[in-house]
Amino acid sequence: MTDITASLSPARQPAKPHRHGGVFTRYGFFLLVIVVFIAFAWLRPTFIAPGNIHGMLMSASIAALMFLGLTWIVAAGEIDVSFMSVAALSNMIVAGLVQAGSGWALATLGGLAAGLVFGLLNAGLVAGLRLPALVITIATGALAASVAAAIGLGTSISLSNTGFVGSILNLRLGVVPLIGVIVGLLYAISWFVQEKLTFGHYIYALEQNRAAVVEAGVPVNRMLFMLYVLSGIVSSLAGVLLAANLSSGQPYLGTSYFLDGLTSVLLGGMALKLGKPNVLGTLAAVIFLIGLLNGAALLGWTDSERQIVRGSLLLIGVGLVVFARSRNRGRAHT
């Protein structure tokens, strides 16, 4: 299988960024994250209290896990808006099974099975039948959310124990939860795939010029199939972890993760690859968003004010990605 860059004509190759300002373009967002954290630590010293740092890292780890598959789907020029509902469904299946007397092992398998089923469903309809991804994932997301609500009859399910999953979440290295280290390693592997393997290059080529990718003999539908299945699995795994972290099943937890997921993926497109969602950018954006909202809460901002921040950041992320992609395509045709 040949590299896709070999099949693109020079006129279609994206122009290389100018050296001037290139470093700031690639790493400016990471600098922004550091500045924001320093500012909150100065304004509210409790922001860097060990307990608060641990809590933020725990939340960021679970969220980053949920958004990993979404990152590559958006980078490939597709969309998945069912990820948060799949996580909610997995969360409720785990809680329902545990409450019914099943062990955490069986409950965990049940939650992961739900993610696999919805991942295969999205993959089959979008990659297999080539139906529009937005419409399909809205429909499957609504289905998952409805089933999640039905399991608890519209209410949450409290758990008296969190089993082995809770024990794993309680493990820490200083203030860093072990799950944070595991998710960090997962993102490091994903970065290697993204930057060093041909598979990662094909993901970005799909968004840039899908016709050229197909002409090069790349199994595009198979790639998209894998990405949607991956999204379903990591979303359900995040749902399992949330059941233990919250000691409950929450049928409507997907509401906040919807905005946070899209914001993190699109805002992460500001880092490293301007206008191109990437795993390190998503990880940095998750940490940025968690820190920003946590710091805002410590400063006394109301929930509605924090929602305004969420919405504004999503608009900024969308605007930057659209602008960067338009500029890159414009250069490719000059």
Side-chain angles (χ1 to χ4, degrees):
M1 188 177 295
T2 58
D3 195 315
I4 187 63
T5 55
S7 65
L8 293 174
S9 64
R12 292 187 177 183
Q13 290 285 347
K16 294 183 179 180
H18 296 293
R19 186 179 299 274
H20 179 68
V23 174
F24 182 79
T25 299
R26 288 175 59 84
Y27 304 109
F29 183 70
F30 299 109
L31 178 62
L32 175 62
V33 175
I34 294 173
V35 169
V36 167
F37 271 67
I38 291 175
F40 279 125
W42 178 67
L43 293 171
R44 284 291 184 274
T46 53
F47 181 77
I48 55 174
N52 195 53
I53 293 177
H54 178 269
M56 287 193 294
L57 290 177
M58 179 67 74
S59 298
S61 300
I62 297 175
L65 180 63
M66 190 188 303
F67 307 154
L68 178 58
L70 177 65
T71 300
W72 277 350
I73 288 176
V74 176
E78 295 290 349
I79 189 64
D80 178 8
V81 295
S82 68
F83 67 94
M84 70 290 180
S85 297
V86 171
L89 174 59
S90 174
N91 175 258
M92 288 298 292
I93 287 176
V94 170
L97 288 174
V98 170
Q99 188 187 58
S102 300
W104 269 88
L106 179 60
T108 297
L109 289 176
L112 294 177
L116 178 60
V117 167
F118 274 87
L120 288 171
L121 181 60
N122 285 333
L125 294 174
V126 176
L129 299 180
R130 301 181 183 180
L131 299 177
L134 179 60
V135 175
I136 292 302
T137 56
I138 287 176
T140 57
L143 176 60
S146 299
V147 176
I151 290 174
L153 300 179
T155 61
S156 61
I157 300 176
S158 299
L159 299 176
S160 59
N161 74 88
T162 56
F164 76 95
V165 179
S167 299
I168 293 174
L169 292 181
N170 288 331
L171 296 175
R172 60 171 71 184
L173 302 174
V175 298
V176 180
L178 179 62
I179 190 64
V181 177
I182 295 173
V183 172
L185 290 175
L186 180 60
Y187 264 75
I189 294 171
S190 300
W191 172 86
F192 180 82
V193 172
Q194 170 192 295
E195 295 294 329
K196 304 299 181 181
L197 300 185
T198 306
F199 180 83
H201 297 163
Y202 287 159
I203 290 176
Y204 293 108
L206 281 175
E207 188 280 326
Q208 178 187 345
N209 194 331
R210 179 170 299 193
V213 179
V214 173
E215 290 175 3
V218 178
V220 171
N221 292 334
R222 189 183 306 170
M223 285 184 60
L224 290 177
F225 193 97
M226 292 171 59
L227 294 181
Y228 276 100
V229 171
L230 172 65
S231 182
I233 291 174
V234 295
S235 295
S236 63
L237 181 55
V240 173
L241 296 178
L242 283 169
N245 189 45
L246 301 174
S247 297
S248 65
Q250 300 291 334
Y252 305 113
L253 64 79
T255 303
S256 63
Y257 281 105
F258 173 66
L259 274 180
D260 290 350
L262 293 180
T263 300
S264 297
V265 170
L266 295 174
L267 203 61
M270 294 172 58
L272 296 180
K273 299 173 177 289
L274 185 61
K276 296 182 179 181
N278 59 90
V279 292
L280 291 188
T282 294
L283 183 60
V286 169
I287 295 172
F288 171 76
L289 191 59
I290 294 290
L292 183 63
L293 296 176
N294 181 274
L298 291 176
L299 290 176
W301 291 22
T302 64
D303 182 66
S304 59
E305 289 172 335
R306 295 196 297 274
Q307 290 298 327
I308 292 173
V309 171
R310 273 191 170 106
S312 299
L313 289 175
L314 178 57
L315 285 175
I316 292 171
V318 171
L320 287 172
V321 168
V322 171
F323 170 76
R325 286 180 173 179
S326 298
R327 187 182 65 173
N328 290 338
R329 286 169 179 168
R331 287 178 176 176
H333 289 87
T334 58

